[in-house]
Each structure stands twice: as C-alpha cells, then as structure tokens.
Amino acid sequence: MYLYAVQRSHRWLVSQSHIVLLSIMHLKLIYQLGGLIPLCTSIGAQAQRPNIVFIMTDDQDLYLNSLDYQPAVKRELIGKGTTFSRHYVTVAKCCPSRASLLRGMAGHNTNITEVNAPGGNWDKWLISGQNEDYLPHWLTAAGYNAECMGHIITKLPYIGKIMNGYNTANYAQRPAGWTHIQTAVDQYTYEYNNVVFSLDGNTPVSYPGYHQSDVIRAMSVDRIEELSAQDKPFFLGIAPTSPHMEPGGGKWPVPPVRYKDKFPDLKAPRAANWNPNDTYQQQKASWVKGLPLLNETTIERLDGLYRARAQSLLGVDDIVEDVIAKLAEKNILDNTYIIYTSDNGWHIGNHRISAGKSLHYKEDSNVPFIVRGPGVPANITSLLPGAHLDLAPTFLDIAGVKPDDPGYPQFLDGRSLLDNWKNPATELTQCPVNGGGHEVINVEYWGIGEEASPWGQISHPNNSYKTLRIVHPDGGTYLYSKWCTGDTELYETASDPGELTNRALNADEDEDISRLLSRLNALLMAAKSCAGDTCRNPWSLLQPEAERRAIPAQANLTITCLEQALEPKFDDFFASVPEVSFEKCMAYQYRPNEMPYWPENVDLGEAYRKPTDNYISSSPKGEKVVSQGFFGTVTQRNVMLSEILKTAKELTPEQLG
Ligand SMILES: *[C@@H]1O[C@H](CO)[C@@H](O)[C@H](O)[C@H]1NC(C)=O
Ligand SMILES: *[C@@H]1O[C@H](CO)[C@@H](O)[C@H](O)[C@H]1NC(C)=O
Ligand SMILES: *[C@@H]1O[C@H](CO)[C@@H](O)[C@H](O)[C@H]1NC(C)=O
Ligand SMILES: *[C@@H]1O[C@H](CO)[C@@H](O)[C@H](O)[C@H]1NC(C)=O
Ligand SMILES: *[C@@H]1O[C@H](CO)[C@@H](O)[C@H](O)[C@H]1NC(C)=O
Ligand SMILES: *[C@@H]1O[C@H](CO)[C@@H](O)[C@H](O)[C@H]1NC(C)=O
C-alpha cells in the first residue's frame, strides 16, 4: 500500500515535469518573438516552506548608528537574529537600488539607474517590460502569496521639478505580480501626514488623520492575520518611507507626533571622516573635492536632522514590534524569515557633505542588514559579504526554487545567501578555489549626486562612477573607484576605515600600488558589464589564456582572487586590459559613452528587457489633497486598520487630474 502510493506520486511528478518542460519551451518561443519569460515551476508537496517578511526602510544608515535608537529592532531582530555587517547595495539610490533588488540584477543590466527620466523611474520600469518578470511573479509561481505594503519602487524628486514615479497619473499600471499590494502614490509618498495609497492599482485612497508609519503598521498586521489563515506560505514586503526627508529641500522627516520630543540631546556622530580638513578633502573626486568646510550653523541643523531621523525610525520600530507580535500570536514566527534592511545608506557630515546618499563611500553603500529566522543563529554579527542583488536568489532558495530548476530566471546576477544566513560564523577563505568572487562587490552609479543640505536640496552633476569593494579577511580590503571626470580613488579600508587617504594619487612612486591598480582596473572592467556567472565571479573573465575565460563551469581557473592576480608574472596580462573610462559625464547609461567593454560584445541586460530610448514619463496633474496637522498620537499607537478605514476617502476626479 505504502509502496504503491510512493510509485503513484512518483509517476505524477514525472508527468508534471513534462508539462513544465513543454510550457517552458513554449514560453521560450514567446520570448524569441519579443516577449519575456515569466517563471513557471512545478509546485510539489511543500507545505512547511517558511514565510518571508521583508522590511525595507528608505535611506536608513548603518554607520550613523540609527539602529541604536530602535529598541524593538535591537531586541527582536539583532538580539534574536544575525547582523550582517558587510551587506551592500549595488546602486546607492532609491529607485535603482529597488529595481536591482526586485529583478536580482546589477544596475547596468536593469538600466534603471536614476530616479528621473532618462535614467529611470516607474514609467521606465513599465516600458522596459521588467514589471512583467520580477520577484513577486517568481514567488507566486513557486506557490507563495506575494504581498507588499508601502513604497516599492516609486520615487519623486525635489520640489520645483515635475514629479516622476508611480503617481496619481499612472497608478492603474500597478506593480504587477503581487497578490495584494498597497503602494504609496506620488506626490504623497514622502508626506508623512498625508497618506495616499493605491490597493492593487485601484483608485488611490487618502487616509486622513493618520501618520504613514501607523497606516503601514496596521495594514501589515491585518495582512498577517489574513495570510496566516491560508494554507500557502507567504512573502510580505513592508516598505515604509521613514527616515526619508520630506519633499521641499531641507525638510526633515516628520516622526509620529508621539515621538517628536524623543532624544533631545542627540547629535550626529563625529566619525574620523566628519568634516575633514583640506589635506583629506583635496584627495576626493569630482564635486566632493571642491566642497567647503561645514560651518557651525549648518552643523547645528544637521544635528536636528539626525534627531528627526531617529524619531521617525521609532514609527518603523512600532511596525517591527507589532509584526513580530502578530507572527508569534499566529504561531508562525519560528517558520518565518524576517529581513530588515534599507534601500541605500545615508551620510551626515562625512567628507564635508551636509547630508545625503548616492556615493560609493561606506556610509551610503553598506546598509543595515539583519536576518532572524529558521536556522539563523541569534545575537551574532557576521562578516560574510552580500548585496541586494543576492536577495531575489535567496528568497527563491527559501521557496525551494533552485538555479537548476526549469523556469529559474536565467538573468539573475546574484547568488543565494541562505547558506551564509545559516552559517554566519563561517570564515572567508583568503583565496577560495575557483574564486566564487565573494570578495568582489560592484557598486555603480549614473547621474546626479544628491545633497540634502539643510538649506535646500543641491543636485551635483558629474556623479557617475564605477566602484569595487574588495572584502577580504585579514586586511587587503579596498574601495576602488573610477569617475566620469577621470578621477580615480583607492582607499585601504582596513587601515583607513574613514576612506580618507586616496592611495591612487601616488601610484607613480609606489610599485605595489600601481600593480594593485592595474588588477583593480581589470576587475572593474570585467564587473562593469558582467551578467549572471560573470557577476558572481568576475575573475572568470580575467584568465590570461583567452580560451579559458568565462567557461560556464568555472573550473580550473588560473586566477581566482586578488592575491593571486598580484603575482608579477601576470603584469603583462593586466597591462593589456584597457582602462575603464567614460567619454564624458552623462546622466544615464549610454553604451558608446562607456566603451570599451571586456569582452567587447556585452549585452548589458538588453536581451531581457525592451528598449526605452526617448521614453516619455507621466506626471501628476491633479489638485493635491491638503492635509494639516501632525498625526501618530499616543492613542493612535495601537490603532487598527478597521478604524483607519472609517475615514478613508477615494481621491476625487479633480484630485486625480
Ligand atoms: C589634517 O589632519 C591630519 C591628521 O590630523 C594632519 O596630519 C594634517 O596636517 C591636517 N591638515 C591640515 C591642512 O590641517
Ligand atoms: C553656513 O553655510 C551655509 C551653507 O553654505 C550658508 O548658507 C550660511 O550662510 C553659513 N552660515 C554662516 C554663519 O556662515
Ligand atoms: C548578545 O550578545 C552580547 C555580547 O555580544 C551580550 O552582551 C548580550 O547579553 C546578548 N544578548 C542576548 C539577548 O543574548
Ligand atoms: C563635470 O566634469 C567635466 C569633465 O567631464 C568638467 O568639464 C565639468 O566642469 C564638470 N562640471 C561640474 C559642474 O563640475
Ligand atoms: C588545469 O588546467 C591545466 C592546463 O589546461 C592542466 O594542466 C591541469 O591538469 C588542470 N588541473 C586540473 C585540476 O584540472
Ligand atoms: C538605458 O536607458 C537609456 C534611456 O532610456 C537608453 O537611451 C539607453 O540606450 C539604455 N542603455 C542600455 C545599455 O540599454
């Protein structure tokens, strides 16, 4: 009887996989005719697969110690999970970083590289077809309920400009793939006391009288109540706007009013690279080099910004506290991975920049990253590196979908971090066999350097750069960067954690440095246009023997890590690799501007998206909803969604424009 049952289910599985193969072939055909391949996978008996709750704040820092002011994050996540202190974003700005995370691809492959046209925004995501083929589609195909509350990928720029993003003009073109999505709608995304969300692309709804973090908290708790009653595992994304600035230039984030007097004496940390003297500042690149010292009035205001950020993060802390309490109440906490991070980092006063993001320095690119969940050790910090483009593969791994499965998206540039999450104390090997490339983090950027000065927003042109971070055990850690202005930066980050002394400036007098620079240039040349395996291990493109480059199995490489590459016998090979350069500074990725490539005929993700040349962005036209007052009172701390819905109002045709 038992044997018979096993045989039957085996037969069933075989016939299922035939069906899957057929449909994949069919989809490939569609793809060749110009469409995109959605993931389609067989759903076996996988009842106990874990849930995933992914919480991502907007512009939260690691190095300004913001996590210190979040008691629930400290108690429930840091204390009961693992903190990964070397987790990076691949583009240090909201929209490109979110696009890279949701597609599992480097910015040069999504080509969503800025917050406004032509570099990127919601319209570009739609027009490029990426909305039809990204994380929630894959999770749904794997049998998950994929849901999201908050602000996924929208982005609006500063006051005075037309606002581009997911907005009151294009909301009906909803973020596809989710089984339930409540998205913040521009031009309200960053107005903490004027909350307007669209559910599943329906007419946007205003929630007057409530603070955004309370609305997101209530919606998240409500969804867990709903989801826990269903049989399926779920993925729940929670993306609050805190601690992003309010729009308008120089306007701090507005915390729930119950927290507005917290931390009265708090000041931004004065780290080694705080407002540095001329000796250091003159070593910087592009616009950063010319900045004057911050004066006392500015510094006083920046301390105010620092306090407002910590206060506004208390609203996020309430979300974390209630989400965890609800998961516990439903008895699913132990089978849920909770991931806490930010879309990019943030600096205040570092390198004389008043405040902001968009740089490659550690403050902007190395983000908070904490994981609690099944098999993840409690209360430890791990040095194992990871990046946001690794998250889609990791979530698929949790869902039981593996790279060899039919229908696994072939274009993913990251790798699953699940093994690292379960074994976070593993030591990195100095020179791993066949690389694995774990030492190489590629951070890139096109467009505007955004300075959130307390005197108003400043947009610095000439902020396009390509960067590598080499994360190695026992020293040998570097930040290397080539700018569109021709500047080069090299910091030895183990001995110079402030990233202050630019070693690229005296390369001529130092043979070791010039040898190192030739290797890093080659590695950056390979990484700047990598795809799939070559992103996971760019060394595979840098084999002295041309016929051994980028062999799929990556077996038997001659050079697998920086330490090996530095051997003098490879000097001639590395000298033969062209210099990474830009013809000029441009606000978006334009192939001829960044020639040459290695190898010459690279794809830049074009096979997996549609062209976007000269696309037109939509912009909101309606009369804005007016909101007065400060919400998030003490009594609203525990307000439920049913209460919030009582006064909710659909936007009128006039407000939609
Ligand atoms: C800047 O500070 C460094 C370290 O304190 C010092 O060596 C250097 O002389 C200073 N430069 C100037 C211009 O004050
Ligand atoms: C301080 O710097 C800001 C920004 O450069 C400037 O607007 C302000 O006038 C300065 N204040 C003083 C007192 O120098
Ligand atoms: C976490 O570890 C620190 C030391 O690293 C220790 O002081 C603290 O008590 C631990 N917390 C818990 C909840 O175990
Ligand atoms: C931008 O860089 C170019 C060199 O590529 C330079 O000529 C120009 O002056 C720079 N512009 C600004 C505003 O810094
Ligand atoms: C690696 O390749 C070289 C050259 O083709 C060959 O001599 C050597 O035996 C190979 N080693 C392994 C472990 O495959
Ligand atoms: C990136 O997007 C811009 C703007 O739509 C487009 O002109 C450019 O060709 C794209 N680059 C690549 C490599 O796809």
Side-chain angles (χ1 to χ4, degrees):
M1 188 63 205
Y2 176 66
L3 263 175
Y4 177 65
V6 170
Q7 263 187 343
R8 267 185 59 137
S9 73
H10 182 70
R11 251 189 237 133
W12 180 82
L13 274 176
V14 169
S15 61
Q16 279 284 301
S17 60
H18 280 302
I19 294 169
V20 169
L21 280 175
L22 268 178
S23 67
I24 291 297
M25 277 164 59
H26 176 66
L27 288 165
K28 276 220 167 106
L29 193 66
I30 297 178
Y31 162 65
Q32 277 155 5
L33 297 172
L36 288 152
I37 312 177
L39 177 91
C40 180
T41 185
S42 73
I43 301 150
Q46 296 158 312
Q48 298 305 317
R49 285 182 299 170
N51 308 304
I52 302 166
V53 174
F54 179 64
I55 304 172
M56 182 163 69
T57 51
D58 193 331
D59 288 353
Q60 184 169 3
D61 60 272
L62 176 63
Y63 285 99
L64 308 181
N65 309 326
S66 59
L67 295 167
D68 289 356
Y69 307 101
Q70 293 184 281
V73 170
K74 279 203 293 191
R75 188 181 64 242
E76 296 298 333
L77 298 178
I78 297 175
K80 295 177 184 166
T82 298
T83 300
F84 291 88
S85 62
R86 292 173 174 174
H87 188 94
Y88 295 88
V89 298
T90 44
V91 189
K93 206 175 213 177
C94 173
C95 189
S97 174
R98 287 165 193 248
S100 158
L101 189 160
L102 290 167
R103 263 287 262 196
M105 283 179 128
H108 62 256
N109 287 330
T110 65
N111 200 29
I112 306 287
T113 54
E114 251 289 4
V115 299
N116 298 320
N121 58 10
W122 182 247
D123 292 292
K124 189 168 182 181
W125 173 259
L126 292 173
I127 291 163
S128 63
Q130 298 184 77
N131 197 37
E132 307 310 322
D133 196 8
Y134 72 114
L135 182 65
H137 297 284
W138 309 330
L139 289 168
T140 305
Y144 270 62
N145 261 324
E147 304 207 342
C148 193
M149 312 292 120
H151 118 79
I152 305 261
I153 197 178
T154 67
K155 184 71 192 187
L156 88 174
Y158 348 107
I159 202 147
K161 276 198 190 173
I162 295 170
M163 303 174 191
N164 300 324
Y166 180 73
N167 58 40
T168 48
N170 63 8
Y171 64 87
Q173 284 175 289
R174 58 168 281 196
W178 308 94
T179 43
H180 179 108
I181 179 162
Q182 281 279 12
T183 332
V185 174
D186 283 355
Q187 34 191 331
Y188 305 94
T189 307
Y190 304 96
E191 295 186 13
Y192 291 93
N193 291 297
N194 195 6
V195 184
V196 177
F197 280 8
S198 164
L199 170 62
D200 295 339
N202 292 311
T203 307
V205 171
S206 151
Y207 299 92
Y210 294 99
H211 187 275
Q212 196 207 59
S213 53
D214 283 334
V215 175
I216 293 178
R217 178 181 53 73
M219 285 176 171
S220 304
V221 168
D222 174 76
R223 290 319 298 169
I224 295 170
E225 182 79 43
E226 185 82 13
L227 288 164
S228 62
Q230 302 177 17
D231 266 352
K232 285 180 169 183
F234 62 83
F235 173 97
L236 175 62
I238 302 174
T241 295
S242 295
H244 196 281
M245 307 264 280
E246 280 229 335
K251 290 191 179 165
W252 306 157
V254 182
V257 70
R258 59 184 178 274
Y259 299 130
K260 75 174 176 47
D261 298 321
K262 288 277 178 183
F263 316 123
D265 303 320
L266 214 52
K267 288 190 162 150
R270 272 53 168 172
N273 59 17
W274 165 271
N275 210 11
N277 71 21
D278 279 344
T279 306
Y280 295 125
Q281 202 66 25
Q282 289 306 317
Q283 303 182 37
K284 288 280 157 298
S286 194
W287 60 274
V288 181
K289 182 178 182 167
L291 293 175
L293 272 170
L294 299 169
N295 63 34
E296 281 310 312
T297 342
T298 301
I299 289 173
E300 211 172 286
R301 290 197 178 198
L302 290 174
D303 288 331
L305 166 63
Y306 188 73
R307 280 190 292 279
R309 286 169 55 85
Q311 292 160 354
S312 92
L313 283 167
L314 286 173
V316 176
D317 210 53
D318 291 339
I319 300 177
V320 171
E321 183 163 49
D322 288 14
V323 160
I324 287 175
K326 186 51 100 181
L327 292 168
E329 182 197 314
K330 296 291 166 189
N331 256 324
I332 51 177
L333 180 56
D334 290 346
N335 195 31
T336 301
Y337 286 98
I338 304 162
I339 299 100
Y340 185 94
T341 189
S342 174
D343 60 349
N344 51 252
W346 188 261
H347 55 258
I348 295 183
N350 312 89
H351 307 294
R352 293 191 185 176
I353 312 159
S354 54
K357 51 199 173 195
S358 65
L359 289 164
H360 54 320
Y361 300 119
K362 65 178 184 181
E363 289 81 7
D364 292 8
S365 60
N366 190 177
V367 289
F369 198 82
I370 310 150
V371 183
R372 171 180 177 175
V376 181
N379 199 28
I380 65 166
T381 296
S382 170
L383 299 178
L384 294 178
H388 270 15
L389 54 74
D390 295 325
L391 295 179
T394 309
F395 297 152
L396 289 177
D397 196 0
I398 292 171
V401 187
K402 306 286 181 194
D404 290 339
D405 288 350
Y408 189 89
Q410 290 308 302
F411 52 73
L412 297 188
D413 295 334
R415 63 171 66 79
S416 171
L417 300 173
L418 192 55
D419 274 351
N420 289 357
W421 293 2
K422 291 182 173 171
N423 305 288
T426 308
E427 304 233 339
L428 279 177
T429 10
Q430 183 80 24
C431 194
V433 179
N434 290 331
H438 290 250
E439 56 177 351
V440 181
I441 306 273
N442 181 18
V443 178
E444 42 194 5
Y445 200 94
W446 296 260
I448 296 292
E450 211 177 284
E451 186 179 358
S453 160
W455 312 97
Q457 184 81 33
I458 305 169
S459 297
H460 296 282
N462 290 2
N463 199 64
S464 301
Y465 58 77
K466 298 185 187 296
T467 293
L468 292 177
R469 224 170 238 289
I470 307 297
V471 182
H472 234 236
D474 317 323
T477 64
Y478 302 100
L479 171 61
Y480 171 72
S481 194
K482 291 288 272 197
W483 286 70
C484 64
T485 48
D487 293 308
T488 306
E489 288 175 286
L490 173 68
Y491 302 96
E492 292 177 324
T493 54
S495 58
D496 176 22
E499 300 171 349
L500 285 162
T501 301
N502 184 358
R503 300 297 309 272
L505 296 176
N506 39 25
D508 295 347
E509 303 128 47
D510 188 329
E511 198 188 330
D512 288 344
I513 293 290
S514 60
R515 177 168 285 131
L516 176 61
L517 285 171
S518 76
R519 273 56 172 180
L520 293 173
N521 170 69
L523 193 57
L524 186 60
M525 180 55 99
K528 77 171 189 174
S529 52
C530 67
D533 281 342
T534 62
C535 287
R536 286 180 283 271
N537 186 6
W539 288 115
S540 67
L541 286 171
L542 295 172
Q543 303 305 303
E545 314 85 345
E547 71 282 1
R548 294 174 77 185
R549 283 174 206 152
I551 299 167
Q554 296 184 353
N556 198 7
L557 300 179
T558 305
I559 298 176
T560 72
C561 66
L562 186 57
E563 193 192 14
Q564 258 176 7
L566 285 169
E567 290 175 28
K569 66 177 178 192
F570 299 126
D571 284 355
D572 290 346
F573 167 62
F574 285 104
S576 74
V577 178
E579 283 268 313
V580 173
S581 67
F582 299 76
E583 200 174 308
K584 59 180 180 190
C585 287
M586 290 182 69
Y588 61 99
Q589 182 182 219
Y590 181 56
R591 180 188 290 265
N593 191 47
E594 300 180 20
M595 307 258 247
Y597 291 97
W598 181 276
E600 271 171 34
N601 300 313
V602 291
D603 179 67
L604 300 173
E606 285 169 322
Y608 302 104
R609 51 181 169 80
K610 296 179 192 155
T612 49
D613 289 330
N614 306 314
Y615 78 96
I616 308 285
S617 290
S618 52
S619 30
K621 296 175 212 65
E623 255 170 51
K624 267 195 83 179
V625 176
V626 179
S627 166
Q628 273 160 349
F630 295 95
F631 312 119
T633 59
V634 172
T635 48
Q636 287 176 347
R637 164 62 184 88
N638 298 310
V639 68
M640 313 254 293
L641 185 60
S642 52
E643 189 65 27
I644 293 176
L645 290 177
K646 286 181 186 161
T647 48
K649 283 183 224 131
E650 276 191 2
L651 261 51
T652 62
E654 294 70 41
Q655 287 165 335
L656 290 170

